[in-house]
Amino acid sequence: MQPVQIAEGIWDVGVRDWSIRDFHGYSTDQGTTYNAFLIVDEKITLIDAVKKEFADQLLANIARVLDPKRIDMVVSNHTEMDHSGGLPRLMHAIGETKPVLCSAMGEKHLRLHFGAPLNLQPVQNGATMRLGKRSLTFLETRMLHWPDSMFTYVNEDQILFSSDAFGQHYAGQEKFDDQAGEAIMAFAQKYFANILLLYAPLILKLIDKVTAMGLGIRMICPDHGIVWRTDPGKIISAYARWSRQETANKAVVVYDTMWNSTRQMAEAIVEGLDGAGAAVKPMPLRAFHRSDIMTEVLDARAVVVGSPTLNNGIFPTVADLLCYMKGLKPLNRIGAAFGSYGWSGEAVKQIEVAFKEMNFKTVSPGLRLQYVPGAEAIASCRDFGRRIAEAMAQGQG
Ligand code: FEO
């Protein structure tokens, strides 16, 4: 990627990863970027590095602006390997004794990843460092989304380098929000739903804290995707909304099927929901990736999950989805379980156990049907859909 000057003397020298399609279990259909930002001041500073495989490309990009050996220090906002994997190669090229600034937890975690060679220098939360005409302030953002995470803020330019926060897995030609347009919000939403949802309460606190500090934010530069330069308030507002976990009158119907009986049940439940006026999104697991399902769950009031019983348990794809969803901690949802079975039929109850673990209010009992549903059974599925819609309207299971 050609370096892009995002503000006077500040360059994005990061890289695009066109080909990645699986980011630790999250489908990245449009690839991603690993952004890194070069601040050219009296002390030349690089904010974040890139994935190990792209370290030489990062160095080549920096070389298009200045000799990488001129870099005086590196700031590592986050240890995860997509941003720090290239650090050893980078430091070897620019000088291994040069300081790498990080949070106190970052020091510990970078040490655990890379051993001794890096000259790690922890910075205190709120500490400020002068680069020349600019100064940086470091803000710890623990658990957003690793214990080591921090933001770096350029006081004079009012630019926030936000690490993963406000990012998107998107590797288009565009570099800024005004170039990418409204379409980028879907990528930001998917990113939030799959990376940050479980930290929603902490995000609300962080937004309050930053608001109370009165930091002007003219531009937000995340480490993935586009830079928010025209309307950074838009993504901050979206984060506040998503973190409050506000839901719409919408149900996501997720299912898998063995011999089409659970599929027929799902279709009838969708009809029931639709007939009762709820918005409904059918998402068969053979057609939708778990990460796209979570994106829809983000604002869904009801999560309706169907599974046939296989070997006395939940169908594996459904179990995968429930495990993934549980980790991301959606709150205040209504759950409803259904499924066809042959002789034992444990799946529905096991789905309900998963709902309980997620503190979902459950529309109970779940709907179990033996073998192939006939006309009467299909009518009961439509009725189940209507009952879910009623629970949604009342906001309860
Ligand atoms: Fe983009 Fe948490 O790494």
Side-chain angles (χ1 to χ4, degrees):
M1 182 171 87
Q2 186 175 326
V4 178
Q5 187 161 210
I6 60 162
E8 195 186 338
I10 304 181
W11 299 77
D12 182 355
V13 288
V15 301
R16 289 189 174 98
D17 186 348
W18 303 109
S19 59
I20 188 169
R21 290 293 177 271
D22 183 323
F23 193 98
H24 58 50
Y26 168 148
S27 68
T28 46
D29 305 330
Q30 299 287 324
T32 193
T33 69
Y34 313 114
N35 302 337
F37 300 95
L38 185 68
I39 304 176
V40 183
D41 208 314
E42 286 170 33
K43 272 188 193 164
I44 297 173
T45 305
L46 181 71
I47 311 277
D48 289 321
V50 297
K51 214 174 183 179
K52 185 179 177 183
E53 302 89 297
F54 293 90
D56 284 335
Q57 200 175 323
L58 170 67
L59 285 162
N61 288 349
I62 295 168
R64 293 172 79 165
V65 181
L66 49 75
D67 180 351
K69 285 191 165 41
R70 289 181 58 204
I71 292 174
D72 294 296
M73 64 178 193
V74 174
V75 174
S76 173
N77 279 326
H78 179 28
T79 305
E80 194 163 5
M81 300 288 262
D82 49 332
H83 311 295
S84 73
L87 259 183
R89 169 78 188 103
L90 173 79
M91 300 315 292
H92 180 72
I94 70 172
E96 273 160 353
T97 57
K98 289 181 177 170
V100 177
L101 277 59
C102 55
S103 68
M105 290 300 276
E107 181 192 22
K108 190 174 162 190
H109 289 211
L110 286 166
R111 199 76 74 198
L112 287 167
H113 277 72
F114 302 114
L118 300 175
N119 176 16
L120 301 173
Q121 297 196 3
V123 290
Q124 296 292 315
N125 180 39
T128 293
M129 172 175 284
R130 184 145 286 285
L131 303 182
K133 60 185 179 184
R134 299 179 187 83
S135 59
L136 303 180
T137 295
F138 306 102
L139 301 168
E140 276 190 10
T141 57
R142 280 192 185 200
M143 298 317 299
L144 294 176
H145 69 111
W146 274 23
D148 57 273
S149 298
M150 69 174 190
F151 291 172
T152 299
Y153 179 71
V154 185
N155 293 288
E156 294 70 16
D157 298 277
Q158 300 190 327
I159 295 177
L160 183 69
F161 295 101
S162 62
S163 184
D164 280 328
F166 311 117
Q168 333 88 50
H169 284 312
Y170 177 73
Q173 289 298 101
E174 311 90 335
K175 194 67 248 174
F176 299 101
D177 52 349
D178 47 284
Q179 295 167 344
E182 190 60 28
I184 202 65
M185 291 307 291
F187 292 89
Q189 180 168 343
K190 180 171 180 176
Y191 191 94
F192 184 95
N194 287 277
I195 303 274
L196 294 168
L197 179 59
L198 70 163
Y199 303 116
L202 292 177
I203 292 168
L204 285 174
K205 279 187 190 158
L206 178 69
I207 291 172
D208 286 347
K209 187 173 134 188
V210 171
T211 306
M213 288 169 76
L215 288 185
I217 297 180
R218 193 170 65 81
M219 191 182 294
I220 297 176
C221 302
D223 278 352
H224 298 289
I226 58 98
V227 164
W228 305 92
R229 72 172 174 188
T230 302
D231 188 6
K234 182 175 180 174
I235 189 66
I236 295 171
S237 301
Y239 265 50
R241 191 171 68 251
W242 295 330
S243 296
R244 287 192 296 271
Q245 302 219 33
E246 293 167 2
T247 58
N249 188 33
K250 166 179 145 183
V252 175
V253 179
V254 188
Y255 64 94
D256 209 333
T257 195
M258 286 171 68
W259 296 107
N260 286 319
S261 295
T262 304
R263 178 183 63 74
Q264 289 183 60
M265 292 179 75
E267 288 170 0
I269 290 167
V270 167
E271 273 184 37
L273 278 157
D274 184 48
V280 56
K281 178 89 181 171
M283 304 191 88
L285 280 155
R286 304 291 171 102
F288 290 92
H289 192 271
R290 65 172 89 81
S291 52
D292 292 315
I293 292 170
M294 275 314 299
T295 310
E296 291 292 337
V297 166
L298 184 62
D299 67 349
R301 193 164 302 153
V303 181
V304 185
V305 178
S307 173
T309 294
L310 177 69
N311 303 331
N312 305 109
I314 302 174
F315 202 72
T317 51
V318 181
D320 171 281
L321 187 270
L322 288 170
C323 172
Y324 187 68
M325 191 186 305
K326 195 166 92 177
L328 288 165
K329 294 187 170 60
L331 301 175
N332 312 319
R333 302 307 201 278
I334 291 166
F338 67 96
S340 166
Y341 68 100
W343 50 96
S344 57
E346 291 91 341
V348 167
K349 279 208 165 58
Q350 291 177 14
I351 294 168
E352 289 179 336
V353 168
F355 287 157
K356 197 169 175 194
E357 288 168 351
M358 291 188 276
N359 293 316
F360 285 10
K361 292 176 179 174
T362 305
V363 178
S364 66
L367 188 61
R368 295 189 323 146
L369 295 176
Q370 192 169 21
Y371 289 125
V372 181
E376 199 175 315
I378 288 295
S380 74
C381 293
R382 290 194 196 103
D383 187 56
F384 190 57
R386 280 190 287 273
R387 285 199 287 124
I388 298 166
E390 280 165 20
M392 290 163 65
Q394 293 164 12
Q396 62 184 28

